[in-house]
Amino acid sequence: QVQLVESGGGLVQAGGSLRLSCAASGSIFSINDMGWYRQAPGKQRDSVAVITSGGTTNYADSVKGRFTISKDNAKNTVYLQMNSLKPEDTGIYYCKARIRLSPSITVREYWGQGTQVTVSS
């Protein structure tokens, strides 16, 4: 059983900062990559930032230069530092991890429950 627990969301004024955290727990053999996804009201869930096991990062164009994804391998935790926040960054932020439970089991996707980020103008 794998669980992803997110924290750090909240209400912030435009121009402010927030830091999201997502910790994976359970019987984890390895983590291929972890990432953050955002779902605004009435819209589909889109990728915001992803970090691979090797540390390669990828960002949505809308957040480049403002958001930074990082990870702590020892804690199986991924972070999203969000600076210069804009009202259009508002949404529910979900953490996703691609995890292998054992060498003989294929990689599976796991999602967190989501954390609300609201940016006021």
Side-chain angles (χ1 to χ4, degrees), residues 2-110:
V2 172
Q3 191 174 18
L4 300 183
V5 178
E6 299 126 333
S7 61
L11 172 65
V12 65
Q13 288 188 333
S17 299
L18 283 175
R19 188 190 193 213
L20 306 183
S21 300
C22 171
S25 62
S27 299
I28 297 171
F29 175 75
S30 64
I31 299 178
N32 279 28
D33 51 69
M34 299 183 79
W36 290 95
Y37 295 74
R38 176 173 67 201
Q39 187 163 21
K43 296 187 177 181
Q44 66 180 20
R45 190 177 300 183
D46 293 324
S47 175
V48 173
V50 176
I51 186 166
T52 69
S53 57
T56 300
T57 58
N58 188 51
Y59 297 92
D61 288 342
S62 62
V63 306
K64 285 180 180 177
R66 300 187 297 121
F67 291 11
T68 302
I69 189 170
S70 61
K71 63 188 178 82
D72 183 331
N73 291 330
K75 297 180 179 179
N76 286 337
T77 298
V78 65
Y79 306 97
L80 186 67
Q81 178 66 45
M82 305 185 293
N83 299 328
S84 302
L85 282 160
K86 303 176 181 180
E88 50 263 44
D89 294 318
T90 294
I92 301 175
Y93 283 69
Y94 295 91
C95 172
K96 185 183 82 172
R98 297 177 65 244
I99 295 173
R100 187 185 301 274
L101 301 184
S102 78
S104 61
I105 297 178
T106 57
V107 174
R108 297 178 181 175
E109 290 185 353
Y110 297 87

